[in-house]
Amino acid sequence: MTAFADRLVEAVARAGSPLCVGFDVFPERIPKIFFSGREDDSIVKATLRFGEAIIELAGPRAGVFKPQLGLLEPFGAEGYLAAGVISEMAQTAGMISILDAKRGDIGTTAEGYARAFLGERPSFDADAVTINPYMGGDTIEPFIKLAEEREKGVAVLVRTSNPGARDLQDLKVDGQPLWSRTADMIAPLSQRLMGESGWSGLMAVAGATYPDDAKTLRAILPQALFLVPGYGAQGASALEAVAGFVPSPSGAKVGGVVNASRSVLYPAAAHPDISLTDWRSAVIAALDQASGELRAACNG
């Protein structure tokens, strides 16, 4: 199989934009058209219909799909099954699937998590998974090992987009902020997941809400693809979102993907009672706006 980094770079090039669609499920915001009206219908069934419809519209406009496991877990076993099904739907549509699980543990527990997401018979057969490294380097190793074996990707939380990131990530360790030390820790590991494109499948999560930090992070991790949250509903602009990208030979900035979730899944025009035709138009408009803004930011 082709290296994960090469698959992601190809998917972004095919879409013509670094847009990554985050699948964040809020049942109260899913339009009624996705519920069958039958008494035995469940939120999970409606979620699957909603996800399938989103993937159909997003596929031509975004190369990457990111199901948020934390918003499916509350539905129990059905939710876990839905996460796997939605991931496979995205892959069938030609998209890269990054399962946003943010797992982080040590020893045999970390190995179990790694097998669940990246192993030979994974519970969720995505192309990559997000992990939390803040228990130390031994948190990461089981994921890197399986990613090497199976041509998968690992997206490491480094500089996150939330305001509370400053509470810990800005603390100084030997004169450097903790997020910078975390980047230093994973830098040597990036070589283990290199693709022929020159990019590594060891991704770094770099929040769009901290664009100056993203530039510093790029200097530490020159070959890491970035997974950038914070664009759209969290307030960061397209230009801020690609601050850590670098010019390609063609002149366009490259270096990762930018996530948009609520702004494209639940556009303001898509009220609960909307018709299917009007809903499709509203979502297409939101996807086109996001992909267009990001394309312009990369080419500007």
Side-chain angles (χ1 to χ4, degrees):
M1 183 184 288
T2 307
F4 166 77
D6 296 344
R7 300 200 307 275
L8 187 143
V9 168
E10 181 182 351
V12 169
R14 185 170 61 248
S17 164
L19 177 62
C20 165
V21 174
F23 190 63
D24 292 7
V25 177
F26 299 100
E28 69 278 7
R29 301 184 70 176
I30 296 176
K32 294 178 182 178
I33 50 176
F34 295 103
F35 293 85
S36 71
R38 293 170 49 184
E39 290 185 4
D40 64 345
D41 199 19
S42 69
I43 289 173
V44 174
K45 290 177 182 177
T47 295
L48 287 170
R49 297 185 197 107
F50 180 61
E52 184 176 21
I54 289 289
I55 289 167
E56 178 191 350
L57 301 181
R61 298 168 174 85
V64 183
F65 198 71
K66 185 173 70 65
Q68 173 53 259
L69 185 59
L71 292 171
L72 292 166
E73 285 179 316
F75 305 133
E78 271 195 298
Y80 275 96
L81 288 172
V85 170
I86 288 168
S87 179
E88 289 175 13
M89 285 180 182
Q91 292 171 320
T92 300
M95 303 177 81
I96 296 294
S97 175
I98 299 175
L99 192 59
D100 199 347
K102 297 183 176 70
R103 292 298 190 253
D105 215 312
I106 58 172
T108 55
T109 307
E111 291 171 6
Y113 281 141
R115 288 195 302 272
F117 295 101
L118 304 175
E120 186 175 350
R121 293 191 179 95
S123 300
F124 317 95
D125 195 11
D127 294 284
V129 63
T130 60
I131 66 170
N132 187 336
Y134 282 98
M135 285 181 70
D138 46 354
T139 304
I140 305 171
E141 178 57 33
F143 292 89
I144 298 293
K145 181 177 183 295
L146 284 179
E148 278 186 290
E149 294 173 4
R150 299 193 27 86
E151 301 288 9
K152 301 281 189 172
V154 180
V156 182
L157 303 182
V158 179
R159 185 43 158 159
T160 58
S161 60
N162 57 305
R166 294 190 181 279
D167 295 342
L168 295 177
Q169 293 172 24
D170 280 3
L171 295 178
K172 294 296 178 64
V173 181
D174 294 334
Q176 290 180 254
L178 180 58
W179 64 263
S180 176
R181 298 286 300 190
T182 303
D184 288 338
M185 178 180 71
I186 68 172
L189 301 176
S190 66
Q191 297 303 309
R192 293 169 58 182
L193 299 181
M194 290 299 298
E196 293 183 5
S197 60
W199 292 103
S200 173
L202 182 64
M203 304 183 76
V205 173
T209 46
Y210 300 106
D212 290 338
D213 293 346
K215 296 173 185 177
T216 301
L217 188 59
R218 174 55 68 199
I220 301 171
L221 297 168
Q223 295 172 306
L225 291 164
F226 284 4
L227 173 58
V228 183
Y231 163 70
Q234 291 189 49
S237 69
L239 283 173
E240 290 170 324
V242 301
F245 288 18
V246 293
S248 67
S250 70
K253 291 182 179 179
V254 296
V257 293
V258 179
N259 184 73
S261 301
R262 285 167 287 172
S263 59
V264 296
L265 296 182
Y266 312 107
H271 55 83
D273 295 315
I274 196 169
S275 70
L276 180 58
T277 299
D278 290 344
W279 176 82
R280 288 174 61 90
S281 296
V283 171
I284 287 171
L287 288 165
D288 285 344
Q289 179 178 341
S291 61
E293 287 178 355
L294 292 170
R295 187 180 304 111
C298 289
N299 291 322

